[in-house]
Amino acid sequence: MTFASLGLIDPLLRTLEHLDYRTPTPVQLKAIPAVLKGRDVLAAAQTGTGKTAAFALPLLQRLLQQGAPVASNALRALVLVPTRELAEQVHESVRAYASGLPLSTYAVYGGVSINPQMMALRKGVDVLVATPGRLLDLYRQNAIRFSQLQVLVLDEADRMLDLGFAQELDELFCALPRKRQTLLFSATFSDAIRTLAGELLRDPLSVETGMRNTAAKTVRQWLVPVDKKHKTELFLHLLEQRGWSQVLVFAKTRKGVEQLADTLQQVGIASDAIHGDRPQPARLRALERFKAGEVRVLVATDVAARGLDIQALEQVVNFDLPIVAEDYVHRIGRTGRAGETGEAVSLVCADEVDQLSAIETLIQQVLPRHEEEGFSPEHRVPQTGPGGVVLKKPKKPKKPKVAAGKGKVHLGNWFEESEKPNVRAVRKVPSLSGKKTNRP
Ligand code: AMP
């Protein structure tokens, strides 16, 4: 399936070619045609799934094809996001997708002066990315009018509620035109999100990222706890000791992929790399060499590895755990295909315990741990339990030391790093009109 077959127009297709997006991701496959038709969409999608392009591309196309030019202080599409970092990130992507199109884009968020934002909005903006609090401020100060609004996108809706934006959202929704298209993206679906979706969306198309939450039964999965700084050594040790003939290794970042592939080359192990910074012909060549058996270790990032079709692969290694839990299922799905057996090993350091916990919740199993002799971590990876929740083992508090001669009590560090309370585990389910907390 290509982007062209989803109904996108030539200028957007040229931009995608320039960005080297060859194949639509699952959420793009489903959302793009629906958004182009003007339907409301309710999508279960996390960062890393390509969700920004899934809403931005068809949204830009619709703005080009329908509606009057934007009036002063007006906007035609509004993308609400929970944090200023996400506002920047989403705006960067939207700007890239809109390059060459006669459409303006802008981002507003709190924590910076409001005046330049008010000035920028005077001319009107086709696509505005905003955090709810600052948007409401601008609206109250008459810097924004919503009368021309055609499309509303709620991105990471669950995080917006978690951060206590429910009241701002309620107030904003009252100010928006009723006749509009609404797209809601959320990683999780709590009751509060379902209520929100029920209030905002009309006959929405539900889009799942299509990822099965269970891994093939034929894949043996286990993990090795290890300190971050010893991961490369451990990988080399496992490769030789276990005699893996061919391995597909996943690392989190492009830099991480390059570093590991370079180290392997240096010690004489045939390896190649696949990541977003490499041109498509180089990625294809790496894959072909791997399939032909010329390369023993292929190192890849998640996005670049999407859609890789490698038959009869026995070994997958997660050098880093993925940020998005569903990517774990996707990664290990590269092995154990069509009833064949396979093995997926994850090298897990203490920093990754939240990701581990999320993966175990998703696949509904606790991954067996195998300590490798000589690689026992100094920074213990906290235990996880059924349901993936990190178990907090209350340790006996240390005896307070009395500073000699001064009679002062030194309390020390009450929690060791691995014992800090797991915020995710104790977080309450947000209510739609819940109290404001932790706002960015
Ligand atoms: P997102 O989930 O929107 O944050 O996107 C995650 C990353 O995937 C971003 O770096 C995008 O540039 C990239 N990306 C999105 N869609 C595609 C695609 N179809 N092909 C290749 N990369 C993509």
Side-chain angles (χ1 to χ4, degrees):
M1 195 58 114
T2 60
F3 281 107
S5 63
L6 300 181
L8 291 175
I9 51 175
D10 281 345
L12 288 170
L13 295 176
R14 279 197 295 274
T15 303
L16 292 174
E17 208 177 311
H18 181 69
L19 291 171
D20 207 16
Y21 289 13
R22 299 291 160 122
T23 342
T25 66
V27 66
Q28 290 164 359
L29 271 180
K30 289 185 186 153
I32 290 174
V35 179
L36 284 176
K37 281 192 203 127
R39 276 195 77 170
D40 283 3
V41 167
L42 174 64
Q46 291 159 313
T47 298
T49 54
K51 68 182 163 68
T52 316
F55 64 73
L57 294 168
L59 178 157
L60 291 166
Q61 181 160 331
R62 278 180 69 79
L63 293 183
L64 271 182
Q65 294 174 336
Q66 295 177 11
V70 72
S72 56
N73 291 103
L75 39 131
R76 299 174 64 206
L78 171 63
V79 183
L80 285 173
V81 295
T83 64
R84 77 178 83 147
E85 289 78 17
L86 194 65
E88 281 287 357
Q89 188 188 310
V90 168
H91 180 234
E92 270 303 297
S93 301
V94 172
R95 197 164 53 179
Y97 302 142
S99 69
L101 303 180
L103 294 172
S104 56
T105 66
Y106 192 61
V108 295
Y109 41 80
V112 293
S113 168
I114 198 167
N115 289 337
Q117 298 180 348
M118 293 175 97
M119 301 274 282
L121 290 166
R122 273 193 199 154
K123 276 189 278 173
V125 176
D126 288 296
V127 185
L128 183 71
V129 183
T131 52
R134 176 53 59 96
L135 186 73
L136 201 55
D137 280 353
L138 287 160
Y139 174 67
R140 287 180 184 144
Q141 298 190 43
N142 294 320
I144 280 181
R145 289 186 291 128
F146 292 122
S147 48
Q148 256 192 300
L149 189 90
Q150 293 172 230
V151 191
L152 167 69
V153 182
L154 291 150
D155 193 11
E156 302 206 358
D158 47 352
R159 267 176 88 198
M160 277 197 276
L161 294 189
D162 281 356
L163 290 170
F165 279 127
Q167 269 177 15
E168 279 93 340
L169 289 177
D170 281 347
E171 199 171 325
L172 283 169
F173 297 152
C174 290
L176 302 182
R178 278 173 177 264
K179 193 169 170 287
R180 58 159 203 261
Q181 184 178 18
T182 307
L183 317 173
L184 190 153
F185 289 76
S186 191
T188 55
F189 281 86
S190 61
D191 288 348
I193 289 291
R194 284 178 210 285
T195 310
L196 188 66
E199 285 170 1
L200 293 181
L201 305 172
R202 278 170 297 110
D203 181 29
L205 176 81
S206 284
V207 173
E208 299 272 340
T209 26
M211 202 75 74
R212 283 175 304 125
N213 288 352
T214 50
K217 295 238 172 357
T218 47
V219 183
R220 199 166 76 84
Q221 304 166 61
W222 48 283
L223 68 84
V224 191
V226 62
D227 283 331
K228 197 190 268 174
K229 60 183 178 206
H230 294 134
K231 280 192 176 187
T232 306
E233 253 174 278
L234 173 63
F235 176 70
L236 286 168
H237 166 82
L238 291 171
L239 186 67
E240 294 314 321
Q241 192 223 24
R242 308 239 164 194
W244 291 332
S245 54
Q246 268 209 317
V247 195
L248 176 61
V249 185
F250 287 96
K252 197 166 53 186
T253 62
R254 295 166 184 192
K255 201 169 148 217
V257 166
E258 281 291 337
Q259 274 171 353
L260 182 60
D262 284 352
T263 309
L264 293 168
Q265 298 275 27
Q266 279 162 22
V267 296
I269 294 166
S271 63
D272 212 330
I274 295 195
H275 59 70
D277 278 347
R278 298 201 78 189
Q280 192 67 14
R283 293 196 219 172
L284 281 177
R285 205 166 45 243
L287 185 59
E288 289 312 319
R289 290 179 66 211
F290 188 65
K291 283 182 177 176
E294 293 164 26
V295 163
R296 186 172 172 198
V297 182
L298 183 64
V299 196
T301 53
D302 284 299
V303 168
R306 210 153 271 153
L308 286 189
D309 188 21
I310 305 166
Q311 297 297 320
L313 178 65
E314 280 177 23
Q315 193 69 44
V316 167
V317 170
N318 295 308
F319 190 84
D320 304 307
L321 287 183
I323 303 286
V324 178
E326 283 180 343
D327 279 342
Y328 175 84
V329 180
H330 188 78
R331 286 177 177 189
I332 74 165
R334 308 278 127 226
T335 180
R337 290 183 152 198
E340 289 175 30
T341 53
E343 192 176 50
V345 184
S346 302
L347 316 187
V348 181
C349 66
D351 289 354
E352 293 174 306
V353 69
D354 280 347
Q355 284 142 266
L356 175 63
S357 171
I359 288 164
E360 291 181 336
T361 303
L362 182 75
I363 62 173
Q364 293 183 1
Q365 57 177 296
V366 177
L367 295 177
R369 294 178 180 217
H370 293 287
E371 291 242 345
E372 198 65 31
E373 214 184 312
F375 291 93
S376 293
E378 275 172 38
H379 301 282
R380 205 173 53 81
V381 181
Q383 276 300 330
T384 49
V389 176
V390 179
L391 297 176
K392 286 171 281 167
K393 237 197 237 164
K395 269 195 184 173
K396 261 199 205 159
K398 285 177 193 156
K399 259 195 181 169
K401 282 183 196 158
V402 178
K406 290 189 180 163
K408 276 189 187 160
V409 175
H410 173 67
L411 286 174
N413 241 1
W414 193 257
F415 289 108
E416 281 182 21
E417 196 54 36
S418 60
E419 288 181 298
K420 279 189 180 152
N422 179 11
V423 180
R424 275 158 25 90
V426 296
R427 194 167 65 200
K428 288 204 183 94
V429 176
S431 82
L432 250 181
S433 46
K435 282 214 162 118
K436 298 171 188 140
T437 51
N438 300 336
R439 272 194 287 157

